[in-house]
Amino acid sequence: MGQGRHFLQIPGPSPVPDRVLRAMDMPVIDHRSAEFAELGRTVLEGAKKIFQTSGPVVIFPSSGTGAWEAAIVNTLSPGDKVLMVETGHFATLWRNMAKRWGIEVDFLPGDWRRGADPGAVEGKLAADTSHAIKAVMIVHNETSTGATSRIGDIRVAMDRVGHPALLMVDTISSLGSVDYRHEEWKVDVSVSCSQKGFMLPPGLGFNAISQKALAASKTNKMPRSYWDWEEMLKPNAKGFFPYTPATNLLYGLREAIAMLLEEGLPNVFARHQRLAAATRAAVNHWGLEVLCQEPKDFSPVLTAVLMPPGYDADEFRKVVLDNFNMSLGSGLSKVAGKVFRIGHLGECNELTLLAALTGVEMGLAVAGVPHRAGGVDAAMKFLEERPKGNAPARLKVVDS
Ligand SMILES: Cc1ncc(COP(=O)(O)O)c(C=O)c1O
């Protein structure tokens, strides 16, 4: 695949830091041993800090889709009504899954260019005076479009109308990259996975669970076995799992949590916002259009870029891959061929980003896509004008 490191600039899986790779490079241990229990307890406690909750977090050996299913089957019953918002491809897939479980979904239509509108959610809930809606299910960061939904505002809207629905949130591509507060926002189930903000390979799915969701799981009528929270929580209390866990991914998780906490979550979130803003500076300079049209919803994790009419995004991505050994994210379903996505999450810093943007800009030139050169300079200028740290950035000139 060419020399040097492949640039994996898709919005997940994100590159795995060397520190995490080294942490996983361990012999597999007995998952019934005291040594494993210590690891289990550490990651189950540590994950709570990343979800910003004091309640239980369960970890499945699964992709994010499995954790979506766990959220549904542990809380809802066939025939239940839920409210979802069409923010993009992933909201649509979660809706499809809910329907397959016999859930009646009121799917607020969207144009794939913004996050969920808290006002529209409030209107639907206010009209539901009989409280037929059992859950509001939102994708926090819509990875297909690069738009983030304001979950705190949605919680405020739900409280304002006093609606008792559960709030379930897909944090699959936001957790560990975008500020997310499971407890403060009274989210009932937060769904996530390992291969995005946690900077791990794919293979772990997460549910952070509120007491209200736990209570719902005691009476709901959905059949389940593998995904059953109760089966998981019992052995978790001592650091164990009900079946063979993904031991080496848990070693990686322990390291990834340590890295996020060492940097400090507020710094992690600020870094992502800064890199995203620098990316938009480049895209705007190129004269291309960012898919997300609502500045409040711009994603800190990825930027989806619209190709000029007549130019195919997938052919462009191939030019970039063939020439510069960099993978960009493809457009999914409705926007296939129309957008490419630049991931700037996880193990990403100023120089990684600038190299990625350089690859995009050179790709535009090689592919003959109309654009204004100098987007990378615009991103550099953005970053230069906002130096990090408390020390004065400008050097004093001293007489020699
Ligand atoms: C927002 C969102 N939800 C759900 C999924 C599905 O997760 P997985 O592919 O791990 O099953 C993804 C995957 O990219 C995603 O970005």
Side-chain angles (χ1 to χ4, degrees):
M1 231 196 202
Q3 284 183 320
R5 270 216 179 179
H6 175 67
F7 266 63
L8 184 65
Q9 295 299 138
I10 62 176
S14 64
V16 180
D18 290 349
R19 225 177 113 175
V20 172
L21 286 173
R22 281 196 296 270
M24 291 189 301
D25 184 10
M26 297 277 281
V28 181
I29 56 168
D30 173 7
H31 60 288
R32 313 268 182 219
S33 64
E35 187 184 356
F36 181 87
E38 176 66 29
L39 170 66
R41 276 195 299 268
T42 306
V43 293
L44 289 165
E45 277 307 306
K48 293 181 186 178
K49 298 199 174 93
I50 311 301
F51 281 96
Q52 304 195 51
T53 182
S54 57
V57 173
V58 293
I59 307 174
F60 297 105
S62 79
S63 81
T65 302
W68 264 353
E69 183 151 316
I72 292 173
V73 297
N74 280 286
T75 57
L76 300 172
S77 301
D80 274 358
K81 190 171 169 185
V82 302
L83 178 63
M84 300 181 80
V85 182
E86 185 198 0
T87 45
H89 175 70
F90 290 104
T92 307
L93 291 186
W94 204 13
R95 186 274 311 253
N96 294 347
M97 174 188 273
K99 282 172 72 174
R100 284 196 291 270
W101 279 103
I103 305 294
E104 189 193 323
V105 183
D106 188 349
F107 200 41
L108 271 175
D111 64 359
W112 292 40
R113 303 201 69 171
R114 63 205 76 246
D117 173 6
V121 171
E122 184 169 343
K124 278 279 177 189
L125 295 179
D128 178 39
T129 48
S130 66
H131 295 167
I133 296 171
K134 297 297 173 219
V136 175
M137 297 164 67
I138 307 284
V139 174
H140 185 208
N141 185 70
E142 180 51 78
T143 325
S144 61
T145 67
T148 305
S149 291
R150 283 160 275 140
I151 303 300
D153 291 354
I154 289 174
R155 165 45 72 197
V156 169
M158 291 178 72
D159 285 353
R160 201 158 31 220
V161 295
H163 200 290
L166 295 169
L167 176 58
M168 308 220 258
V169 181
D170 168 336
T171 71
I172 283 179
S173 62
S174 59
L175 194 81
S177 304
V178 186
D179 194 4
Y180 182 76
R181 306 169 186 199
H182 175 90
E183 197 157 278
E184 187 183 317
W185 296 340
K186 291 180 277 172
V187 179
D188 294 296
V189 189
S190 298
V191 177
S192 205
C193 68
S194 51
Q195 73 268 22
K196 315 256 184 184
F198 274 126
M199 307 173 286
L200 295 166
L204 297 178
F206 298 78
N207 280 174
I209 307 167
S210 75
Q211 287 307 315
K212 188 170 155 189
L214 213 49
S217 76
K218 307 282 182 216
T219 56
N220 82 312
K221 303 264 175 326
M222 204 71 93
R224 59 190 180 267
S225 169
Y226 183 82
W227 304 113
D228 196 73
W229 287 342
E230 202 178 347
E231 291 300 306
M232 184 61 108
L233 287 167
K234 270 186 279 177
N236 275 183
K238 293 200 160 82
F240 293 115
F241 284 65
Y243 36 65
T244 314
T247 310
N248 287 47
L249 283 174
L250 298 179
Y251 281 130
L253 178 61
R254 181 167 64 185
E255 196 67 18
I257 292 171
M259 287 174 71
L260 290 169
L261 297 178
E262 276 166 31
E263 184 176 353
L265 289 182
N267 297 328
V268 172
F269 304 146
R271 170 167 57 86
H272 282 79
Q273 278 180 342
R274 183 175 142 81
L275 297 181
T279 305
R280 290 192 299 275
V283 176
N284 292 336
H285 185 96
W286 290 327
L288 300 181
E289 201 181 335
V290 172
L291 181 64
C292 179
Q293 283 182 321
E294 172 54 65
K296 275 199 234 123
D297 298 345
F298 283 147
S299 170
V301 166
L302 76 138
T303 303
V305 184
L306 274 163
M307 290 295 279
Y311 292 86
D312 185 273
D314 290 335
E315 283 174 24
F316 168 65
R317 290 190 316 109
K318 187 169 180 328
V319 168
V320 172
L321 180 62
D322 291 349
N323 286 277
F324 306 116
N325 193 17
M326 175 164 73
S327 293
L328 295 169
S330 61
L332 297 169
S333 51
K334 210 170 108 175
V335 290
K338 298 198 175 82
V339 305
F340 65 90
R341 295 171 298 150
I342 306 169
H344 30 75
L345 69 155
E347 171 86 334
C348 190
N349 62 19
E350 287 81 358
L351 298 190
T352 329
L353 180 77
L354 287 171
L357 295 175
T358 304
V360 175
E361 183 159 336
M362 289 193 295
L364 291 169
V366 173
V369 178
H371 70 287
R372 184 156 64 110
V376 176
D377 293 274
M380 282 170 61
K381 198 160 164 33
F382 177 92
L383 295 169
E384 287 160 7
E385 284 170 357
R386 289 162 190 78
K388 283 189 299 194
N390 299 323
R394 286 207 163 267
L395 300 188
K396 278 207 194 85
V397 182
V398 287
D399 292 333
S400 51

